[in-house]
Amino acid sequence: MTRPAARSGSRTSADRLARLLNLVPYLLARPGIEIAEAAGDLGVTERQLREDLELLWVCGLPGYGPGDLIDMAFDGDRVTITYDAGIDRPLRLTPDEALALVVALRMLAETPGVANREAVERALAKIENAAGDLVGAPVAVRLPGDTRQVEALRSAVEGGRALRITYYTAARDETSERTIDPLRMLMVGGRAYVEAWCRRAEAVRLFRADRIDAVAELDEPAVVPPQARPHDLTDGVFRPSPDLPLITLRIGRGERWITEYYPCERVEAGDGDQWLVSLRVTDLGWARRFVLGLGPDVTVVAPAELADQVRAQALAALEAYGTPVGDGAPSADPAVGAVTQ
């Protein structure tokens, strides 16, 4: 079986939902508008607008019977909303909804890289003022990770200053000193990153804030070369490409979470509860540590080089921690054979 990609579909659904929520008040304010004119105003094709109108016909209030669903009348190529199912009514938040909205806005205000934090804070103040009785006590929100590091990075970005950082690269399991010229701060997958021109790599790089062991602001401005371009992070930080190593693993039921957490090129059903999973990795060193951390329910199918590396490190570990038996040789452990093939 091949697991279908869902991210682009999720974005399309979200776009359509936003369009549908705007469509009813738009049509209420323009009874009898021509579909072609409405489509032009809304930035969609006539076909898409007609499909949206057909969907609206089955939307409405709980009960979903006569008098509950949105209704409209057509006169040739003109459309008029005849029943709006209350979408034109002012929004009334429940206490839980008001609290969730306040928390979301506070998190957005604290997020590094937000271009117009003042606008977010103004909106938050209005909502807290209007929903004060619902929300109750003030809400405090803190981003995950080292707040001091995030604040230092944010200050350098806003002040346009260069930084010297000590950074841990998990893919290579090494720590290095770098001088960077920050471009922006951003949040991806709940983690803070600084995107910067790395003078050592002579390229734009993403540095995870919680992997920066030390940061020092330099007494010099950040100088970003004209060729530096921010990354497109629409699909996340890691973007698999054909030039990266492809590994194939045989996994048991307990390790199927891999297919949800990592972008996989192929997922196929194997014998029994086993799956064959293929994914791209930054390098085989990271893949070796990844496989060794998964345990005996994972078998390396390919490449052979990775299987050899896993076997060698597993044997070395057993030799270091094994209990001598008989003539002093370390005891064998069947787990070694479970992680390589």
Side-chain angles (χ1 to χ4, degrees):
M1 67 180 171
T2 300
R3 188 164 54 95
R7 289 181 177 170
S8 60
S10 298
R11 290 196 300 271
T12 301
S13 298
D15 293 342
R16 190 177 192 189
L17 175 60
R19 192 167 64 246
L20 288 172
L21 291 174
N22 289 323
L23 183 54
V24 174
Y26 170 86
L27 294 176
L28 284 171
R30 299 164 180 80
I33 189 173
E34 291 187 352
I35 290 179
E37 181 182 350
D41 288 346
L42 298 170
V44 297
T45 64
E46 291 187 42
R47 177 180 176 180
Q48 181 62 68
L49 180 56
R50 290 182 186 275
E51 291 177 354
D52 289 346
L53 293 173
E54 291 175 2
L55 180 57
L56 281 178
W57 245 321
V58 295
C59 298
L61 301 172
Y64 307 107
D68 299 322
L69 301 178
I70 295 172
D71 201 1
M72 63 198 81
F74 289 90
D75 181 10
D77 286 334
R78 297 178 178 273
V79 60
T80 300
I81 296 288
T82 57
Y83 178 65
D84 56 42
I87 288 185
D88 67 328
R89 299 172 190 167
L91 178 64
R92 292 291 183 265
L93 298 175
T94 67
D96 287 345
E97 291 170 338
L99 180 60
L101 186 56
V102 168
V103 169
L105 284 172
R106 283 202 174 278
M107 180 67 76
L108 185 61
E110 292 293 322
T111 299
V114 173
N116 196 342
R117 189 175 294 108
E118 292 79 8
V120 175
E121 290 173 348
R122 287 197 301 269
L124 178 60
K126 291 179 181 178
I127 293 173
E128 287 183 323
N129 182 59
D133 293 337
L134 296 176
V135 175
V139 179
V141 174
R142 292 291 181 269
L143 293 175
D146 190 331
T147 303
R148 291 172 300 174
Q149 300 288 55
V150 171
E151 288 300 325
L153 295 170
R154 178 189 291 169
S155 174
V157 170
E158 294 176 348
R161 311 298 295 182
L163 293 172
R164 180 176 293 112
I165 62 173
T166 302
Y167 189 70
Y168 170 69
T169 303
R172 295 188 297 274
D173 192 24
E174 67 178 24
T175 300
S176 59
E177 299 285 337
R178 299 166 184 258
T179 300
I180 62 173
D181 300 293
L183 289 166
R184 58 175 177 167
M185 289 287 295
L186 61 159
M187 291 289 293
V188 183
R191 294 188 176 94
Y193 291 82
V194 59
E195 188 171 31
W197 176 262
C198 177
R199 299 183 187 178
R200 171 180 167 178
E202 296 187 342
V204 175
R205 292 288 186 265
L206 276 172
F207 301 97
R208 229 171 83 175
D210 60 353
R211 290 180 178 167
I212 297 178
D213 295 330
V215 57
E217 186 172 308
L218 302 181
D219 189 22
E220 61 179 275
V223 180
V224 180
Q227 70 269 26
R229 293 291 183 272
H231 292 88
D232 179 5
L233 301 178
T234 304
D235 295 322
V237 174
F238 178 64
R239 303 183 68 187
S241 59
D243 59 315
L244 292 177
L246 179 69
I247 68 171
T248 300
L249 308 175
R250 182 180 292 110
I251 63 174
R253 178 180 294 273
E255 308 300 339
R256 291 183 181 178
W257 60 268
I258 294 172
T259 64
E260 301 295 331
Y261 195 80
Y262 296 96
C264 298
E265 290 197 0
R266 188 178 60 178
V267 180
E268 297 180 352
D271 297 334
D273 291 336
Q274 293 184 329
W275 285 2
L276 283 175
V277 177
S278 297
L279 63 155
R280 300 281 175 181
V281 296
T282 52
D283 59 51
L284 293 185
W286 179 90
R288 181 188 71 251
R289 296 189 297 276
F290 174 63
V291 171
L292 287 168
L294 293 174
D297 289 336
V298 176
T299 302
V300 177
V301 176
E305 179 184 356
L306 175 60
D308 291 341
Q309 291 180 9
V310 171
R311 182 182 297 108
Q313 189 159 342
L315 287 171
L318 290 173
E319 184 176 354
Y321 292 99
T323 302
V325 294
D327 59 358
S331 59
D333 192 318
V336 175
V339 295
T340 60
Q341 176 176 310

